[in-house]
Amino acid sequence: HYFGAKDELLLATMRHILAELTADTLRALGSANSARERVSAVVAVNFSDIQFQPETIAAWLAFYVEAQKSSAWRRLLKVYARRLHSNLMSGLTGILPRAEADRAAEATAAMIDGLYIRRALKDGVPDAATAIALVEDYLETKLGERRKQ
């Protein structure tokens, strides 16, 4: 009734989801005490109870699909991707050299997006704890490799 088409409803939904994600991320980053905590805060927010719900995950999957067909949607997806990358870099650059931090941020973002897609394709309740553990395992492996050098 309030939206002219399904696309307008999905776009409004995604803007709302992204606004919540941004606000939650800023709060989490504000309470992080170290570079490593900043990275973990970004990961945790992306899999929070508010974000990692079946309805939100379904909206993300529809958003990814629409972004392949529409330049306006693609721009919004790029804004999200740049913001996620920047938030991850805010912690990773305090731990790793810039080039390595950039690669780690890209891989971490890909894992987050990939876990949303995987969750969307499965039945059952989303398992945020497992998703967080997988991303954190990657980060610990990456940071452990750096410590050994």
Side-chain angles (χ1 to χ4, degrees):
H1 175 70
Y2 295 102
F3 301 95
K6 180 181 79 169
D7 288 354
E8 292 175 27
L9 174 60
L10 182 57
L11 189 57
T13 299
M14 287 311 302
R15 285 187 173 132
H16 176 74
I17 289 169
L18 289 168
E20 281 185 334
L21 180 60
T22 298
D24 292 347
T25 300
L26 291 174
R27 270 193 297 281
L29 288 172
S31 62
N33 295 316
S34 69
R36 182 64 179 91
E37 284 181 18
R38 289 180 72 80
V39 178
S40 290
V42 173
V43 172
V45 165
N46 277 276
F47 296 107
S48 69
D49 291 340
I50 293 169
Q51 292 295 324
F52 206 58
Q53 291 297 313
E55 299 82 12
T56 306
I57 294 167
W60 274 104
L61 188 59
F63 179 55
Y64 292 139
V65 170
E66 290 301 321
Q68 300 308 304
K69 299 186 269 181
S70 162
S71 60
W73 290 72
R74 194 168 20 262
R75 277 192 303 277
L76 187 57
L77 182 57
K78 285 180 180 181
V79 167
Y80 153 73
R82 280 193 305 267
R83 191 173 294 150
L84 177 57
H85 186 82
S86 175
N87 289 332
L88 290 165
M89 289 293 284
S90 76
L92 289 168
T93 55
I95 304 167
L96 298 169
R98 182 124 186 119
E100 286 182 50
D102 191 57
R103 283 192 304 276
E106 188 64 29
T108 303
M111 288 184 75
I112 291 168
D113 290 343
L115 287 164
Y116 266 74
I117 292 168
R118 281 187 160 203
R119 182 68 264 163
L121 299 174
K122 291 184 179 181
D123 291 331
V125 177
D127 184 0
T130 300
I132 291 169
L134 285 168
V135 177
E136 289 290 340
D137 284 349
Y138 161 74
L139 287 165
E140 279 305 307
T141 300
K142 182 71 176 164
L143 297 175
E145 289 171 1
R146 180 72 183 153
R147 287 184 209 120
K148 290 177 186 176
Q149 293 178 355

